[in-house]
Amino acid sequence: KDKVEFPELRRLAKEHYEAFKPDRVMVEKRASGHSLLQELRRNHVPVAALKADASKLARAHAGAVVLEDGCVFVMCNRHGEIMDWAQDVIDDCAAATFQRGSPGNDVGDTCIYAWLYLRKTFQLELKGEADDDDDRDNQQSQARPLG
């Protein structure tokens, strides 16, 4: 959430990678993101460059489908209460407007990038989206042997 100078950004990125060990770190390829991508690659961090190929509003509309389809779950504690950090993310996303000239919402934009990345890499499938392989498997399983 913070706006930091590059040395601090680099330190925080490395620190968070070591703490959470994600499969992939995604960095928007603009401004200090170019340098951060190079730095993380040099340190053998699995990183993907994100290109802002659409406006934030267009990305928000595309990402909304994921929410509307019920593909996003919230982290709760053992008592069924939403975790504080998860509530913070929900609040930030709910406050996002993505209108031209409105203050940036990096948390909301980050969530949208993540949802779109998961759809693009076929790790998230909306209800009613049929995979060609699944259709082929279903057809084969319904076929009966000759003879």
Side-chain angles (χ1 to χ4, degrees), residues 26-30 37 48-53 110 113-114 117:
M26 299 186 301
V27 177
E28 193 171 37
K29 193 175 181 179
R30 29 177 283 209
L37 283 162
L50 296 172
K51 296 175 189 164
D53 54 357
T110 299
Y113 266 128
Y117 177 82

Side-chain angles (χ1 to χ4, degrees), residues 11-79:
R11 185 189 69 72
L12 287 169
K14 289 178 185 176
E15 186 178 287
H16 282 86
Y17 174 74
E18 289 300 321
F20 298 104
K21 297 285 189 206
D23 294 333
R24 173 121 352 187
V25 174
M26 299 186 301
V27 177
E28 193 171 37
K29 193 175 181 179
R30 29 177 283 209
S32 58
H34 289 283
S35 299
L36 185 59
L37 283 162
Q38 292 171 344
E39 183 72 26
L40 293 175
R41 286 179 180 140
R42 269 193 291 266
N43 286 283
H44 308 288
V45 172
V47 64
L50 296 172
K51 296 175 189 164
D53 54 357
S55 72
K56 286 187 180 191
L57 182 59
R59 283 195 306 273
H61 284 297
V65 176
V66 174
L67 289 173
E68 291 165 358
D69 209 40
C71 295
V72 177
F73 295 84
V74 64
M75 293 293 294
C76 295
N77 63 22
R78 59 190 162 128
H79 304 293

